[in-house]
């Protein structure tokens, strides 16, 4: 362990340097112990908010907001015979037609999408799901699968009267192999619960996201959730070992393999990863858990330009390399919103403001080695004036605090009203141009400001994954603002061969824009797959694939 | 850098200890510099061998060996009109009907499978591939796509008169992004050429296999090749960013994304990874290259039981963790064959024989840290008597030598005649039981020995991936031996919920046994996908999916 220079400690954190020349601390930065299992605030997804029907009554019906969506008249409307059938499959506690009960399932957590379902089913076994879907398919009843209802594109709530099939009652760990790290569990297990389960056994879930306290692993798989650990452990296409899926006609696809390698036939599970419930319902997940790192460090850096953010990232790949587990960035506008709206902002550990911030996390097996790598890396950044200031967390509280600033941004954005949220994959060199162009565009349109519709345009995200979150925090929805933003944001992204949905998916919100990221040949192939697997089209209709032009 | 104890050097290698008690060298093991880019012998795939028709004439026709395979009479037989069309698409140098030319493409490198194709096409562009397939689809001409012809299951050579479409003339790098590491290239690029290209730029291909000097990246993708770096960088399902695929009807599926994250629609590329050319021809590949590690170490350990191999593996996950890049094992029978048949065997650096051997590779960004981790790990293994002896490579020559022992095993097995090769995923705890059971079974049948059909039963493979290679080296093919082995080996694997093809794929060899690893529901879904994407069935027929029972 390197000695700690007492002078380097400010505000209880190991300080890099306020001014490089005056305060640089060569080889004297102590990077203090951080706990393996961190606990964060998961207040981002306040399910309880739905209890007050007063607030959610304001959420307009999706069918009124997206007027081009029409109920497919070929879908059957729910009848007493249908209810009787579902009552024969499920116990009374697993069925609800109560409007109050349904409220929290009809409306998404952002209060942006509202469906009109009259029936909520909560099966507790794969067999029950199979019976329900077979019946729905036979009678052409539309179904929307729902996990933790933490999606951002309206994919998990109904649009019209689709039956809501919640995975909430399927929440058991089926098996865990302590040698290989293969975890097999029900789709309705909450991500954080699984992560805690694994923490006790020295393992970690290969994904992590702000919604971990509410989101279901089945929903994570169905939406190919990205999040904060993708940089280190890769996407679910690599870490999911097997799936159990109930197809639209009730067939159970039993592919819950725990093998790391298996080249026997088409890798069917991959089709369901990211299919947002349009091909079938994921009921079971087998996933490869990595070993939990013994040493974790977190640093927050103040940076004066986006070029320097890129330079810091480039170096981190060389110098932190195998221990780098997160490289997140956010801009000054982001932290200003956090400071303004959230308690977390009071804990900003840097002395002055910076145009950009970088949050770096390392995870490794040897604390001394990691500390040394991080110290050398950070000193190099200071020496070469790539960063202007920075702190390294010394204990759990500081660790949580630094992460809470980054994780608090989406919540802070939504504090004054609706947020126009864009989740884009863009080549890193032009990453921030998107934010600046949008800000300039909205300024020019005269819609940003104290008494204007838009409060702030903020950019943050996962530099390591080329994933920008562009959030436009506003006080109210406005067609005028929407028209300034769209389709410009999608055209801009398409021009740079980016993706209009990096990790959030398509849902009802982005399906009309799919052609900005996929060719008509690709979309045609997707339609054929959908038609083959769900010929009646009962699985999560009105979403994902754009309406076919007739 | 830790000092080197002079006494620790034997045969130019840093020795761990011949006898733990007498010679253990605490904290004094120097782990010397290993080069980033290693060059190995690639003599395993001697294409030149096919020049001598004398030797390859012995290879029986696959259609005679697999008598249940019948030529599909609905496929058109090649006519002069067809040749005329192909001549209108390709230059004369890219078409051959010459029997001598075709020999090397009709017969696989193991000289186990022989097709009867009369036409070889070598397009040099995606558009040419598209024109060829459209014509073949319209006229119902069967096609077999071929990369480097290094497959192990007969998937890349014809069975009857399928037209061979070789990707050999499509071998350009299309682009490389030095910031993100995204490499885009033609399907016919040779893996080793790509790895060398990346080495010059500080990056590495995320896969590596013995055939790297011949195999094509398109073939690697089409077979979902595993290999030696999977433990560290994951499977191609995670590292492939995008594909360009020509479908059976000539449609070009343009999905050459370079984005790390993209949640816009079904991830179609995944279907082609591991589809063995049965759905379309991969013509372009976009793949994420990791940074090349600055420090690489290789150690070879002698171990007295398979339980101890497992114990060493378990510890390596904790102690080497993020720097572990290979954990390979082989048994005494394996190294004996290498010593007997290959020069590499003369370089066995361990003093005495051991029942088991483990080859460990670490790759990291800081040599001192890696050396320290490896030394501590190895000392711990010696202290706790988990390993009996070991060496750590000190220079390039030693590095190559240690790897050449492991990589020489398949070649050594084939030195006296045909090899019954099985590539199984099996839970690690029962991993070696398979080898012992098979050895006992063949012994009992009285077929192993000097004057018997079978020379040796050897087990080796990738412990870290749960992937056992079971090779039965023999002097001649024998129905009697084959019946002792099969279907026992598949039944055994199915009983342990394993995979009958961990990384080699199905091809013509394993397709009849698919049901041992996949349910009829899964196989049915595969058939439906095949039928949807290749309704005429022209793509690589007679393989992959078992014949449908009528």
């Amino acid at each position: 362990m390197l000695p700690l220079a007492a002078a380097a400690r400010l505000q209880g954190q190991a300080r890099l340097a306020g001014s490089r020349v005056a305060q640089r601390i060569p080889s004297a930065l102590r990077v203090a112990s951080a706990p393996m299992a961190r606990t964060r605030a998961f207040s981002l997804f306040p399910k309880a908010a739905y209890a007050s029907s007063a607030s959610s009554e304001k959420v307009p019906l999706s069918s009124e907001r997206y007027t081009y969506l029409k109920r497919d008249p070929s879908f059957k409307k729910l009848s007493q015979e249908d209810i009787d059938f579902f009552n024969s499959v499920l116990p009374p506690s697993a069925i609800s037609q109560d409007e109050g009960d349904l409220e929290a399932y009809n409306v998404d957590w952002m209060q942006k999408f509202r469906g009109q379902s009259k029936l909520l089913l909560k099966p507790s076994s794969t067999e029950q799901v199979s019976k329900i879907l077979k019946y729905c398919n036979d009678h052409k009843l539309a179904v929307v699968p729902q996990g933790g209802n933490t999606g951002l594109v309206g994919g998990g709530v109904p649009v019209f009267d689709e039956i809501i099939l919640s995975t909430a009652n399927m929440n058991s760990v089926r098996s865990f192999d302590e040698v290989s790290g293969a975890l097999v569990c029900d789709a309705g297990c909450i991500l954080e619960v699984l992560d805690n389960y694994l923490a006790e056994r020295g393992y970690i879930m290969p994904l992590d996201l702000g919604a971990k306290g509410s989101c279901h692993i089945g929903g994570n798989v169905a939406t190919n959730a990205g999040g904060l650990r993708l940089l280190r452990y890769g996407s679910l296409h690599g870490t999911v070992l097997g799936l159990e899926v109930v197809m639209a006609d009730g067939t159970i696809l039993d592919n819950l393999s725990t093998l790391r390698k298996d080249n026997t036939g088409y890798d069917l599970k991959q089709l369901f990863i990211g299919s947002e419930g349009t091909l079938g319902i994921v009921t079971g997940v087998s996933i490869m858990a990595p070993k939990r790192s013994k040493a974790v460090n977190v640093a927050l850096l103040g940076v004066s330009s986006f070029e320097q953010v890129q330079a810091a990232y480039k170096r981190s790949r060389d110098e932190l390399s195998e221990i780098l587990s997160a490289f997140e960035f956010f801009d000054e506008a982001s932290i200003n919103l956090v400071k303004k709206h959230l308690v977390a902002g009071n804990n900003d550990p840097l002395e002055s403001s910076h145009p950009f911030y970088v949050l770096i996390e390392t995870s490794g097996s040897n604390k001394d080695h990691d500390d040394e790598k991080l110290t050398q890396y950070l000193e190099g950044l200071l020496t070469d004036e790539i960063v202007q200031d920075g702190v390294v967390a010394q204990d759990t509280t500081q660790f949580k605090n630094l992460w809470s600033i980054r994780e608090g941004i989406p919540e802070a954005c939504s504090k004054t009203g609706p947020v126009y949220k864009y989740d884009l994959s863009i080549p890193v060199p032009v990453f921030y141009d998107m934010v600046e162009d949008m800000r300039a565009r909205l300024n020019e349109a005269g819609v940003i400001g104290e008494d204007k519709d838009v409060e702030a345009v903020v950019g943050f995200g996962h530099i390591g994954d080329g994933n920008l979150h562009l959030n436009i925090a506003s006080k109210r929805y406005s067609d005028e603002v929407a028209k300034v933003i769209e389709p410009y944001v999608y055209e801009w992204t398409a021009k740079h061969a980016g993706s209009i949905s990096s990790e959030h998916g398509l849902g009802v919100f982005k399906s009309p824009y799919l052609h900005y990221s996929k060719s008509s040949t690709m979309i045609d192939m997707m339609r054929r797959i959908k038609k083959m697997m769900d010929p009646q089209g009962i699985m999560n209709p009105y979403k994902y694939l754009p309406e076919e032009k007739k």
Side-chain angles (χ1 to χ4, degrees), chain A:
Chain A
M1 182 76 76
L2 298 169
L4 167 70
R9 304 195 73 186
L10 289 175
Q11 302 176 349
Q13 314 236 2
R15 184 151 212 93
L16 290 182
S19 142
R20 190 189 67 77
V21 181
Q23 292 176 253
R24 212 188 124 226
I25 311 132
S27 303
L29 183 77
R30 195 173 75 104
V31 184
S33 177
M36 269 171 47
R38 61 187 197 250
T39 52
R40 297 190 214 129
F42 298 104
S43 56
L44 294 185
F45 302 94
K47 276 241 168 178
Y50 300 121
S52 147
S53 65
S55 78
S56 57
E57 259 167 24
K58 292 170 203 157
V59 181
L61 289 174
S62 297
S63 60
E64 286 171 3
R65 191 157 161 214
Y66 303 98
T67 50
Y68 58 87
L69 293 176
K70 306 288 174 211
R71 184 180 184 281
D72 182 340
S74 76
F75 287 133
K76 182 177 188 298
K77 291 203 177 180
L78 206 63
S79 70
Q80 189 54 48
E81 286 77 36
D82 304 327
I83 304 290
D84 291 346
F85 173 80
F86 296 126
N87 271 313
S88 77
V89 175
L90 300 176
S93 61
I95 302 187
S96 179
Q97 297 182 266
D98 178 83
E99 207 174 316
D101 285 355
L102 277 156
E103 181 71 14
Y105 297 84
N106 263 322
V107 179
D108 74 308
W109 75 273
M110 293 186 301
Q111 310 212 15
K112 200 166 164 183
F113 306 95
R114 172 194 285 277
Q116 306 158 59
S117 181
K118 306 287 182 219
L119 183 64
L120 168 68
L121 304 178
K122 289 184 165 183
S124 52
S125 74
T126 305
E127 290 63 36
Q128 289 177 351
V129 175
S130 168
K131 281 179 189 165
I132 292 167
L133 285 195
K134 185 177 183 332
Y135 182 88
C136 290
N137 193 56
D138 288 346
H139 295 81
K140 210 166 175 187
L141 284 158
V143 176
V144 53
Q146 189 174 105
N149 192 7
T150 63
L152 293 159
V153 291
V157 289
V159 176
F160 296 100
D161 57 345
E162 301 93 277
I163 294 169
I164 298 166
L165 194 154
S166 164
T167 49
N169 282 346
M170 302 181 71
N171 49 23
S172 299
V173 169
R174 299 194 194 175
S175 68
F176 179 64
D177 183 330
E178 303 231 4
V179 176
S180 71
L183 171 76
V184 182
C185 64
D186 290 347
C189 290
I190 288 173
L191 181 58
E192 189 180 27
V193 172
L194 293 176
D195 201 48
N196 290 340
Y197 174 93
L198 290 177
E200 287 167 18
R201 290 155 180 86
Y203 284 85
I204 190 171
M205 284 298 281
L207 75 160
D208 184 25
L209 38 148
K212 76 190 290 188
S214 307
C215 65
H216 294 187
I217 186 68
N220 296 149
V221 168
T223 56
N224 189 28
L228 304 164
R229 291 179 190 155
L230 190 136
L231 176 69
R232 177 62 167 273
Y233 301 117
S235 89
L236 291 170
H237 287 290
T239 53
V240 169
L241 299 172
L243 292 180
E244 178 186 78
V245 181
V246 180
M247 305 297 297
D249 66 359
T251 306
I252 298 169
L253 214 58
D254 48 335
N255 188 207
L256 268 186
S257 167
T258 55
L259 305 170
R260 179 135 189 202
K261 288 161 75 173
D262 177 23
N263 274 354
T264 55
Y266 307 128
D267 195 353
L268 299 181
K269 69 173 180 283
Q270 301 289 353
L271 273 180
F272 301 96
I273 300 174
S275 66
E276 302 183 25
T278 60
L279 299 178
I281 296 184
V282 173
T283 51
V285 175
S286 170
I287 193 164
M288 186 177 56
K291 279 270 179 178
R292 209 165 190 94
S293 295
K294 283 174 246 170
V296 181
N297 288 315
V298 178
L300 179 71
L301 312 177
V303 189
S304 65
S305 75
F306 190 71
E307 284 63 41
Q308 292 184 333
V309 171
Q310 290 181 71
Y313 172 58
K314 211 159 176 242
R315 277 202 193 189
S316 75
R317 293 194 64 193
D318 281 324
E319 297 178 29
L320 299 177
S321 185
E322 69 274 7
I323 63 165
L324 185 66
S325 55
F327 194 104
E328 301 283 311
F329 105 104
F330 46 92
D331 58 13
E332 195 172 1
S334 300
I335 200 168
N336 285 346
L337 280 188
V338 172
K339 286 180 186 175
K340 186 172 166 188
H341 296 303
L342 301 181
V343 177
N346 296 338
N347 299 326
D348 172 19
L350 299 188
E351 272 177 345
S352 58
S353 279
H354 300 269
F356 294 94
Y357 295 80
V358 164
L359 185 148
I360 291 176
E361 188 189 80
T362 66
S363 307
S365 60
N366 183 309
K367 171 123 194 68
D368 292 349
H369 292 170
D370 291 5
D371 289 357
E372 198 180 322
K373 284 190 185 90
L374 183 61
T375 305
Q376 278 177 9
Y377 166 71
L378 294 175
E379 282 178 3
L381 293 184
L382 284 168
T383 304
D384 298 337
E385 303 188 36
I386 291 169
V387 305
Q388 274 56 57
D389 194 8
V391 291
V392 180
Q394 301 292 298
D395 57 31
T396 317
T397 310
Q398 293 174 4
F399 186 105
K400 279 168 63 179
N401 177 40
L402 294 188
W403 264 113
S404 73
I405 297 172
R406 162 63 186 86
E407 293 192 299
I409 301 169
E411 190 187 358
C413 286
S414 66
K415 279 289 176 185
T416 50
V419 186
Y420 301 86
K421 293 175 94 78
Y422 301 94
D423 157 48
L424 312 164
S425 281
I426 299 180
V428 174
V430 297
F431 212 77
Y432 202 70
D433 295 355
M434 169 85 263
V435 184
E436 285 173 338
D437 285 6
M438 186 57 74
R439 204 174 274 144
R441 199 174 156 83
L442 288 162
N443 254 324
E444 208 172 290
V447 294
I448 310 187
E450 270 300 306
D451 53 346
K452 304 288 175 59
D453 285 346
V454 174
E455 184 185 15
V457 178
V458 316
F460 60 98
H462 322 287
I463 288 271
D465 312 330
N467 182 188
L468 170 71
H469 293 297
L470 169 69
N471 276 15
I472 297 162
S474 56
K475 287 152 211 154
R476 62 199 76 87
Y477 277 116
S478 137
D479 273 356
E480 186 198 351
V481 171
K483 277 177 192 155
V484 177
I485 302 171
E486 295 180 23
Y488 179 79
V489 62
Y490 299 125
E491 286 166 355
W492 200 103
T493 304
K495 201 174 74 190
H496 291 90
S499 168
I500 62 149
S501 189
S502 183
E503 60 179 10
H504 293 173
L506 297 168
V508 75
F509 179 40
K510 288 194 183 164
S511 65
Y513 308 108
L514 180 55
H515 65 278
Y516 285 106
S517 286
K518 290 288 155 66
S519 68
S520 57
T521 311
M522 292 282 289
I523 296 173
D524 177 59
M525 181 68 79
M526 291 177 198
R527 283 193 213 287
R528 288 164 65 194
I529 285 173
K530 166 74 177 173
K531 206 154 274 173
M532 189 194 87
M533 295 207 175
D534 177 21
Q536 300 268 56
I538 61 161
M539 298 303 307
N540 215 3
Y542 317 114
K543 296 169 190 159
Y544 202 71
L545 296 175
E547 294 273 293
E548 255 181 294
K549 288 194 184 81
K550 286 179 185 151

